[in-house]
């Protein structure tokens, strides 16, 4: 099940843009593979959410 984007979530180091930015969407965090944790610690890239914000589209 896909989580709904949370525009109130603070920007995380792995995000390409702040949450809620037009032309972006959430994607599984490549560092923790969506788990939110690495070796029993909170993932530093997604802040434990399991997802990062990335640009969408093409061109």
């Amino acid at each position: 099940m896909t989580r709904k984007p949370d525009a109130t979530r603070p920007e995380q180091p792995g995000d390409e843009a702040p949450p809620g930015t037009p032309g972006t969407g959430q994607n599984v965090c490549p560092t923790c593979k969506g788990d939110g944790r690495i070796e029993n610690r909170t993932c530093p890239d997604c802040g434990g959410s399991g997802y990062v914000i990335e640009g969408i589209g093409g061109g």
Side-chain angles (χ1 to χ4, degrees), residues 14-50:
D15 292 341
E16 292 180 357
T21 301
T24 64
Q26 66 185 36
N27 197 2
V28 173
C29 177
T31 305
C32 68
K33 312 281 189 281
D35 185 51
R37 300 191 63 78
I38 297 175
E39 297 179 5
N40 293 326
R41 294 183 165 206
T42 301
C43 177
D45 286 344
C46 68
S49 67

Side-chain angles (χ1 to χ4, degrees), residues 9-19 45-46 49 51-54:
R9 171 184 163 268
E11 189 172 357
Q12 300 297 320
D15 292 341
E16 292 180 357
D45 286 344
C46 68
S49 67
Y51 68 90
V52 292
I53 306 298
E54 296 182 341

